């Protein structure tokens, strides 16, 4: 059917102008969406930054705006204890897979920074480890908040509130296999648990500053709630790190986690001395010495001393570590050996294979773990 001629020229002109305006608005929306996807895709997983715009498997540093980032991990592990039957798993029981969101907003003399990061398991769909029976879904979920916080970054440092990884965990944490089945803290090679080198603290205030080569961080629990808590009010974590201060390539520091309610409210602490040194290009050594008063899942109270090295050869990063557990209780001393190789297939993807063994004094119940895992960061 032929289109009717336009009788009133001004009316036709208004319709044409409206069509052009609507089309322009549509193109603007499409352009904005495309730019958002491009900026979001630029986020890559990395380490915790001093500006606190990131934590854990964090995205690249940025100006303002919202950024998404993440890390996918799945691994096969074979674990045997003594003469008992071994157990095979194809899981991410350590919660190494992460999905996060972060932002940084310029407020003039300071910046507002925020971060929320969740753990999940792409192999079985439950963020909790297999130690939890998920037949009762009350304690199991697909995504589990790891850290979430808001704070201000100023010229003097950072102050924020929420949930954080403690300075005791992040400072002097040299194990490349953290959150996997062959991790040192899964075998007593280092401390574990909320007050050790693991987990996160919720309902806390974080203060952090850096002056030249010296970095100081203080985390304090602020909540008196008793349900669903890992730390209580007045529990604190403090860390001091000095890098390239005495010698290029040398890092040394001290960290403490304190549980105020421990030992019938007299308080218990874990103390850690740590150091690392870049001996030559491609070769570094590290040390941690822990005086542990708070027992974990894989160790009792006592002293844990760990030595190790990292050697880079081409696309491969080899880690060799030895841990010695001198426990307060008799016949519970142990030693831990661990070796692994991380082969980088690209800047974002790597495959790691490794073996970790824990031998207990006067016992045939040695724990042996073999692992093979693949990681992709985005």
């Amino acid at each position: 059917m032929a289109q009717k001629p336009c009788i009133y020229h001004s009316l036709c002109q208004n319709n044409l102008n409206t069509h052009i305006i609507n089309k322009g608005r549509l193109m603007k929306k499409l352009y904005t969406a495309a730019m958002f996807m491009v900026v979001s895709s630029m986020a890559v997983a990395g380490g915790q930054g001093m500006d606190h715009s990131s934590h854990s498997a964090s995205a690249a540093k940025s100006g303002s705006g919202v950024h998404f980032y993440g890390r996918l991990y799945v691994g096969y592990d074979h674990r045997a204890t003594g003469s008992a039957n071994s157990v095979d798993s194809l899981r991410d029981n350590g919660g190494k897979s992460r999905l996060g969101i972060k932002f940084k907003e310029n407020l003039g003399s300071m910046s507002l920074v925020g971060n929320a990061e969740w753990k999940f398991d792409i192999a079985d769909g439950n963020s909790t480890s297999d130690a939890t029976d998920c037949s009762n879904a009350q304690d199991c979920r697909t995504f589990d908040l790891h850290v979430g916080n808001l704070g201000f970054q100023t010229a003097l440092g950072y102050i924020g509130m929420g949930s954080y990884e403690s300075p005791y965990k992040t400072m002097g944490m040299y194990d490349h296999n953290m959150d996997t089945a062959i991790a040192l803290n899964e075998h007593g090679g280092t401390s574990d648990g909320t007050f050790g080198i693991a987990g996160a603290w919720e309902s806390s205030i974080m203060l952090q500053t850096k002056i030249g080569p010296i970095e100081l961080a203080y985390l304090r629990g602020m909540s008196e709630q008793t349900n669903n808590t890992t730390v209580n009010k007045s529990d604190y974590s403090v860390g001091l790190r000095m890098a390239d201060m005495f010698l290029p390539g040398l890092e040394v520091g001290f960290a403490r986690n304190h549980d105020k309610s421990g030992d019938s409210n007299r308080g218990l602490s874990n103390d850690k001395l740590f150091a690392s040194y870049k001996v030559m290009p491609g070769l570094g050594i590290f040390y941690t010495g822990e005086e542990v008063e708070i027992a974990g899942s894989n160790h009792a109270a006592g002293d844990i001393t760990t030595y190790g090295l990292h050697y880079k050869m081409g696309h491969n990063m080899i880690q060799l570590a030895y841990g010695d557990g001198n426990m307060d209780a008799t016949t519970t001393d142990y030693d831990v050996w661990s070796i692994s190789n991380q082969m980088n297939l690209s800047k974002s993807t790597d495959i790691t294979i490794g073996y970790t063994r824990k031998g207990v004094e006067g016992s045939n119940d040695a724990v042996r773990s073999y692992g093979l895992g693949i990681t992709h960061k985005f």
Side-chain angles (χ1 to χ4, degrees):
M1 180 180 294
Q3 186 176 7
K4 294 181 179 180
C6 184
I7 299 176
Y8 300 102
H9 176 74
S10 60
L11 178 60
C12 289
Q13 186 64 38
N14 288 339
N15 291 338
L16 178 61
N17 291 339
T18 301
H19 174 72
I20 293 174
I21 291 173
N22 290 337
K23 185 176 180 180
R25 289 174 176 172
L26 176 61
M27 293 302 295
K28 186 176 181 181
K29 290 180 179 179
L30 291 174
Y31 176 78
T32 302
M35 289 302 297
F36 177 78
M37 293 178 65
V38 170
V39 173
S40 297
S41 65
M42 292 174 64
V44 295
Q48 175 177 319
M50 176 58 203
D51 65 358
H52 265 272
S53 59
S54 61
H55 275 275
S56 306
S58 55
K61 294 182 180 179
S62 62
S64 60
V66 177
H67 296 262
F68 299 91
Y69 64 93
R71 180 173 64 198
L72 295 178
Y73 172 82
V74 65
Y76 167 81
D77 61 269
H78 174 92
R79 188 180 181 97
T81 302
S83 59
N85 292 333
S86 60
V87 178
D88 295 343
S89 297
L90 187 63
R91 292 284 194 270
D92 180 12
N93 281 331
K96 187 173 181 177
S97 295
R98 307 288 173 83
L99 183 63
I101 183 173
K102 56 171 283 188
F103 76 88
K104 183 176 182 179
E105 182 183 11
N106 189 350
L107 301 177
S109 61
M110 66 181 69
S111 296
L112 176 68
V113 294
N115 179 218
E117 182 177 300
W118 290 264
K119 301 188 295 184
F120 60 101
D121 186 342
I122 64 174
D124 67 1
N126 295 309
S127 61
T128 53
S129 70
D130 288 333
T132 301
D133 183 4
C134 287
S135 59
N136 179 3
Q138 179 181 356
D139 297 325
C140 299
R141 64 199 80 174
T142 302
F143 294 94
D144 187 16
L145 183 68
H146 178 57
V147 294
N149 47 73
L150 285 171
F152 295 98
Q153 184 71 41
T154 72
L156 298 177
Y158 170 88
I159 177 171
M161 298 182 294
S163 55
Y164 299 86
E165 293 184 321
S166 71
Y168 191 96
K169 176 184 179 181
T170 58
M171 291 187 177
M173 202 284 287
Y174 302 117
D175 185 10
H176 288 177
N177 300 313
M178 190 70 177
D179 298 324
T180 70
I182 58 173
L184 290 172
N185 67 348
E186 288 290 322
H187 300 79
T190 63
S191 62
D192 61 47
T194 302
F195 291 91
I197 305 179
W201 288 34
E202 82 282 349
S203 304
S204 300
I205 287 181
M206 169 70 86
L207 303 173
Q208 189 170 10
T209 188
K210 187 174 183 180
I211 305 174
I214 302 175
E215 182 179 353
L216 179 65
Y218 180 78
L219 182 66
R220 189 176 184 89
M222 297 299 295
S223 178
E224 294 181 329
Q225 299 292 335
T226 56
N227 292 331
N228 305 315
T229 62
T230 55
V231 295
N232 298 313
K233 186 174 182 179
S234 299
D235 293 343
Y236 69 85
S237 177
V238 63
L240 172 67
R241 173 165 51 195
M242 296 172 286
D244 301 318
M245 183 174 180
F246 305 105
L247 191 67
L250 175 65
E251 174 189 83
V252 295
F254 168 82
R256 163 177 283 190
N257 274 348
H258 180 76
D259 179 6
K260 182 183 178 182
S261 63
D263 193 21
S264 301
N265 293 321
R266 287 188 289 266
L268 294 172
S269 298
N270 288 349
D271 294 332
K272 177 174 71 172
L273 292 172
F274 60 89
S276 67
Y277 180 59
K278 187 176 181 180
V279 179
M280 56 187 293
L283 176 63
I285 56 176
F286 62 87
Y287 158 85
T288 59
E290 298 182 81
E291 185 177 339
V292 179
E293 293 182 340
I294 306 169
S297 301
N298 299 289
H299 63 83
D303 298 327
I304 304 175
T305 306
T306 310
Y307 307 91
L309 64 84
H310 294 132
Y311 178 62
K312 186 175 183 180
M313 183 173 56
H315 296 291
N316 298 279
M317 174 62 75
I318 299 171
Q319 175 179 289
L320 177 64
Y322 168 76
D324 176 64
N326 184 12
M327 302 292 97
D328 294 341
T330 58
T331 69
T332 57
D333 294 349
Y334 60 85
D335 58 11
V336 177
W337 287 95
S338 181
I339 184 170
S340 64
N341 179 52
Q342 174 183 304
M343 181 172 61
N344 297 309
L345 304 181
S346 68
K347 291 183 179 180
S348 302
T349 305
D350 66 75
I351 292 178
T352 299
I353 183 171
Y355 168 73
T356 303
R357 181 188 185 278
K358 176 184 180 181
V360 182
E361 179 183 282
S363 172
N364 294 322
D365 293 335
V367 179
R368 305 174 302 279
S369 298
Y370 303 83
L372 173 66
I374 182 169
T375 305
H376 176 74
K377 303 174 184 177
F378 59 91

